[in-house]
Amino acid sequence: MSSGPGIQVLTPGAGYGIVIGIGGFFAALMLEITWMQNRYTSFSTHQAEEFNTASRSVKPGLIAAGIVSSWTWSATLLTSSTFAYTYGVCGPMWYGAMGTFQILLFALIAVKIKGNAPGAHTFPEIVLARHGKAAHLTYLFNGLATNMLVGACLVLGGSQVVAAISGMNVYAACFLIPLVVAAYVIAGGLRSTFIADYTHTVILFIAIFVFAFLIYATSDLVGSPSRLYDLLLEASKTMPISRNTEGSYLAFRSVDGLVFAIDLFAAGFSTVWLDQAYWQRAIASRPESSIKAYLLGGIAWYGIPFGFATAMGLGCAALTSNPAFPTYPNPLTAAQNGSGLSSPATAIALMGKGGAALMLILLFMAVTSSTSAELIAVSSLLTFDVYKTYVKPDASSTRLVRISHYGIIIYALLLATFCCILNAVGLNLTWLLTILAIIVGGASIPIGLILMWKPMSTTAAIGAPWIGLVCGLTAWIVTTIKRSGAMTTTTSGDTINAVAGNITSLGVGTVMAVILTLAFPKKYVSTNPSDIERSNKIQGVVITPEARETETATPLSASPPSDAVGGMEKADPDATSKPASAPQPETYVPTGNDLVDFLESKQIEPMDPVLVKKGERVATVANLIFFFVAIILVPFTLFGTGYIYSKSFFTGWVVVSFMWTWCSMCICVIYPVVESTGALRDVSKGIAADLGALVGKKKSNGGQRSGTA
């Protein structure tokens, strides 16, 4: 999609250099880190549990950084700024609040996974054990569809901006971005995506702070919140916002902004609750810290769209009348704005070519870290829900890792092709984000109910998503044709047309899940021994050989054993409660790491029910507080009063957004280092010992292998 004249300030070589050069550098860096992990710790990426679940041992700080990174799409930076530029001060807050609420809600899912399905690798596995193959295929479809749409939001949005700023071929960018990321994901698995997430997040915060200090402190064009306020007052007169109070950028009351928030609310449920990348992080987390990780991740993520879009989105409106603005004297066109060029335009106005290059690096960090999470998520779905379920149930761990590699390559190529098709027909990031919940929204609440609502029936689990999809598509098409006269790429992406389909799909899926459960309460029960064995392994139920002879079915919602401590059964060979071994694969070669060997060959007991209840209470209270303060009290007070910000109020608003961004940086950058000092020390000792051996010193026999990560 062409962005029009005036935006391109870099050469195509710069675009290729960033995508290939920096991408190649990070691929090499991740390969080196993966090698050090295999060399100096006892976690091996050649084992399926390590490759796909990071041995379920990642600490909360790194999980929180991973959540922030995987939820910081190109849309987080581009679309949040687009809506600040389009709707004014409400845009950043609505974007941050709706996205954060989904992360905090997922904390409830995370603790339920540890309590009810500690042995699961993917969310369709849980559905399969509870409701059979028809339900499994339903949610596998929705999971893969979500990953494809989310991946397109990431790659297409980033590719179009790279093409607009540098002139790089957009189709080349669509292929190069996912393939570069695939290189280090194949080598390192899930743990490498966490490390990549952390590295990218560090660079992301550096770039955000550079732009924020320019806007609020050092730039001659703006340089202070007070000057930004004056420029926004001027912009409100020269290009007023329709259906905002007095057309002002400084008014929170924006009717179209509220419609956008509803769209984002529906899309958020789909992109979090049906995205295997989020389930993967819950599965990879330590049982005792999963709630903490998601609460920290939600708090930290809020600061990114709120802080970045307040500076760069409003900055775009403020600088439109400045000769340094790339499209001066004209504002951005609808096509440019829809492609997410508001924040890049601000960066160019502030720093020229340097700003464009820094913006591309920032976007590349956001796109690649999120794409890495999607790659490993889809590979897990293909490995465990397709290959291991329907092709070769007794596949060895080594074979499963190889299948994961194939899955990553397949998804990268399909995603690149899909993005090229979308670009060819004239669709962009904003359109994708606007209509996403229409496609998969019908399944987003039912998947939560399957895990959290015991009465959920099999008929409801299967029927609700499909009924929601049909009703959502119908509402979207009918509303678009009636309101806009025809179904085109422009009218179909209109926020009001899309919200009809989004809310219908989400709402009908939820209502039908309840109605069908009440009307058809029967649940799936299998007498197949392999199905029973799989169900028991997923939920962590220990079945003795004597009991297995007479066992016919074990419901997944059965209460977990009361003696599980910390979410994992003690690997004591003399213990009377020793778990039964899982069906042995073709071959299993011990790794030397007790944790990985245990996960590969034994069942995992559920998290202590007392700790589950405590975690649920903490997550529920956190969600209620956030919902009533950040989504109801503050926004609707400002919306209902129609208040236009004064200079002092706006200055305070900017200060809060900036401070929140600093808090986010502390959670995502500093905390993971603090909690991993032991592992870093052990790896450093191993490297020092190897270096000593190279110069002829005796290599130490100890201190080189660590079981922590």
Side-chain angles (χ1 to χ4, degrees):
M1 176 178 290
S2 174
S3 62
I7 295 295
Q8 181 180 341
V9 295
L10 299 176
T11 64
Y16 283 103
I18 290 173
V19 172
I20 298 175
I22 297 180
F25 168 77
F26 273 97
L29 177 63
M30 291 305 109
L31 291 172
E32 178 64 22
I33 292 174
T34 300
W35 178 84
M36 286 194 293
Q37 172 192 322
N38 292 335
R39 167 71 173 166
Y40 300 114
T41 80
S42 48
F43 290 111
S44 171
T45 57
H46 302 299
Q47 297 296 323
E49 281 290 343
E50 171 63 18
F51 188 88
N52 290 285
T53 71
S55 300
R56 308 172 197 263
S57 63
V58 183
K59 295 180 180 178
L62 199 55
I63 291 284
I67 292 167
V68 169
S69 184
S70 62
W71 199 212
T72 303
W73 308 351
S74 51
T76 306
L77 305 173
L78 299 176
T79 308
S80 63
S81 298
T82 293
F83 285 108
Y85 178 72
T86 306
Y87 304 124
V89 290
C90 72
M93 188 171 194
W94 279 132
Y95 199 104
M98 294 306 179
T100 297
F101 187 53
Q102 312 306 325
I103 298 174
L104 297 181
L105 277 174
F106 201 83
L108 288 169
I109 295 285
V111 73
K112 281 293 187 180
I113 292 172
K114 297 302 182 183
N116 291 349
H121 301 88
T122 67
F123 74 87
E125 274 191 335
I126 301 173
V127 178
L128 175 63
R130 289 197 172 195
H131 297 292
K133 291 186 177 180
H136 176 253
L137 292 172
T138 295
Y139 290 91
L140 178 59
F141 164 79
N142 280 279
L144 291 172
T146 299
N147 286 124
M148 188 61 71
L149 291 168
V150 168
C153 286
L154 301 170
V155 174
L156 181 63
S159 298
Q160 288 180 338
V161 172
V162 170
I165 294 178
S166 69
M168 178 183 179
N169 185 283
V170 67
Y171 299 104
C174 285
F175 271 93
L176 287 172
I177 290 174
L179 290 176
V180 165
V181 179
Y184 66 76
V185 176
I186 286 175
L190 182 60
R191 196 179 298 270
S192 78
T193 70
F194 283 117
I195 299 171
D197 287 346
Y198 176 79
T199 308
H200 292 170
T201 302
V202 171
I203 298 173
L204 184 145
F205 274 110
I206 291 172
I208 289 176
F209 283 128
V210 168
F211 289 129
F213 277 113
L214 282 169
I215 287 284
Y216 299 137
T218 63
S219 172
D220 294 334
L221 303 183
V222 185
S224 70
S226 176
R227 176 59 177 159
L228 179 60
Y229 180 87
D230 294 337
L231 291 172
L232 289 173
L233 283 179
E234 181 182 335
S236 300
K237 297 175 183 177
T238 58
M239 46 182 194
I241 302 173
S242 175
R243 300 212 286 179
N244 272 34
T245 302
E246 298 182 13
S248 177
Y249 280 89
L250 297 162
F252 199 94
R253 176 184 280 176
S254 171
V255 176
D256 290 335
L258 181 59
V259 172
F260 150 71
I262 297 171
D263 267 334
L264 194 63
F265 179 81
F269 270 106
S270 305
T271 54
V272 174
W273 288 41
L274 287 170
D275 189 344
Q276 171 61 21
Y278 289 90
W279 293 77
Q280 206 112 4
R281 278 154 173 72
I283 290 167
S285 64
R286 292 184 170 186
E288 68 275 13
S289 59
S290 56
I291 288 286
K292 180 180 180 180
Y294 275 85
L295 294 182
L296 285 174
I299 293 169
W301 185 83
Y302 184 92
I304 294 178
F306 184 39
F308 183 81
T310 297
M312 301 299 283
L314 295 180
C316 184
L319 292 172
T320 299
S321 60
N322 193 291
F325 195 75
T327 62
Y328 177 83
N330 301 314
L332 295 176
T333 66
Q336 290 170 335
N337 193 33
S339 294
L341 296 180
S342 56
S343 51
T346 307
I348 292 169
L350 291 172
M351 301 174 63
K353 291 184 177 181
L358 183 59
M359 191 69 205
L360 285 186
I361 293 172
L362 174 62
L363 287 175
F364 188 78
M365 295 299 101
V367 170
T368 53
S369 60
S370 301
T371 303
S372 69
E374 298 303 312
L375 287 168
I376 196 70
V378 172
S379 77
S380 295
L381 291 175
L382 296 177
T383 300
F384 291 101
D385 292 289
V386 177
Y387 185 79
K388 197 172 192 299
T389 300
Y390 298 107
V391 180
K392 197 172 182 61
D394 61 345
S396 68
S397 180
T398 303
R399 181 183 289 270
L400 291 178
V401 172
R402 187 160 60 249
I403 296 299
S404 294
H405 293 170
Y406 297 152
I408 289 168
I409 296 171
I410 291 170
Y411 174 64
L413 293 174
L414 288 177
L415 176 61
T417 303
F418 183 53
C419 290
C420 290
I421 294 171
L422 293 174
N423 185 79
V425 299
L427 300 178
N428 58 34
L429 169 64
T430 303
W431 186 91
L432 279 172
L433 193 63
T434 302
I435 64 91
L436 192 150
I438 299 172
I439 310 300
V440 294
S444 57
I445 302 298
I447 186 60
L449 294 177
I450 286 173
L451 198 61
M452 296 191 292
W453 189 41
K454 289 184 179 180
M456 185 75 168
S457 72
T458 297
T459 300
I462 297 170
W466 297 114
I467 297 172
L469 172 61
V470 171
C471 292
L473 288 172
T474 302
W476 178 41
I477 294 170
V478 171
T479 302
T480 301
I481 292 175
K482 288 294 185 180
R483 286 191 71 250
S484 305
M487 194 79 176
T488 67
T489 56
T490 301
T491 60
S492 61
D494 178 83
T495 53
I496 295 178
N497 295 340
V499 80
N502 285 329
I503 294 301
T504 300
S505 183
L506 184 72
V508 170
T510 304
V511 172
M512 291 308 299
V514 177
I515 291 176
L516 291 175
T517 294
L518 297 177
F520 307 98
K522 186 177 179 180
K523 296 185 180 181
Y524 163 82
V525 175
S526 174
T527 57
N528 186 314
S530 63
D531 291 343
I532 296 171
E533 186 72 40
R534 178 175 54 227
S535 174
N536 292 336
K537 186 170 177 62
I538 288 173
Q539 70 168 5
V541 172
V542 177
I543 304 296
T544 63
E546 294 79 8
R548 185 177 285 107
E549 292 178 0
T550 58
E551 184 72 26
T552 58
T554 304
L556 191 60
S557 57
S559 299
S562 60
D563 59 347
V565 179
M568 186 171 296
E569 200 268 338
K570 298 291 184 181
D572 181 0
D574 298 323
T576 58
S577 60
K578 178 181 176 181
S581 296
Q584 291 301 311
E586 295 170 346
T587 57
Y588 176 69
V589 179
T591 65
N593 181 310
D594 292 339
L595 178 57
V596 175
D597 292 339
F598 177 83
L599 292 170
E600 291 282 353
S601 60
K602 304 294 182 183
Q603 292 177 345
I604 310 166
E605 285 192 2
M607 187 175 176
D608 187 337
V610 175
L611 296 179
V612 171
K613 290 293 184 184
K614 180 180 178 181
E616 287 177 347
R617 286 195 297 269
V618 171
T620 301
V621 170
N623 275 280
L624 290 174
I625 292 174
F626 184 85
F627 179 79
F628 285 111
V629 174
I631 295 180
I632 301 297
L633 180 62
V634 175
F636 281 100
T637 298
L638 295 171
F639 187 96
T641 59
Y643 177 62
I644 298 177
Y645 290 11
S646 65
K647 182 174 288 190
S648 59
F649 188 90
F650 179 74
T651 301
W653 186 269
V654 166
V655 169
V656 169
S657 72
F658 196 50
M659 290 176 61
W660 206 308
T661 308
W662 274 99
C663 291
S664 301
M665 184 275 294
C666 292
I667 292 172
C668 295
V669 177
I670 298 175
Y671 181 47
V673 174
V674 172
E675 69 177 3
S676 298
T677 51
L680 293 173
R681 181 177 58 251
D682 291 336
V683 171
S684 299
K685 287 181 179 178
I687 294 173
D690 276 353
L691 291 176
L694 288 176
V695 296
K697 294 182 179 180
K698 183 178 180 181
K699 188 174 180 179
S700 174
N701 291 324
Q704 291 190 40
R705 299 183 70 82
S706 165
T708 59

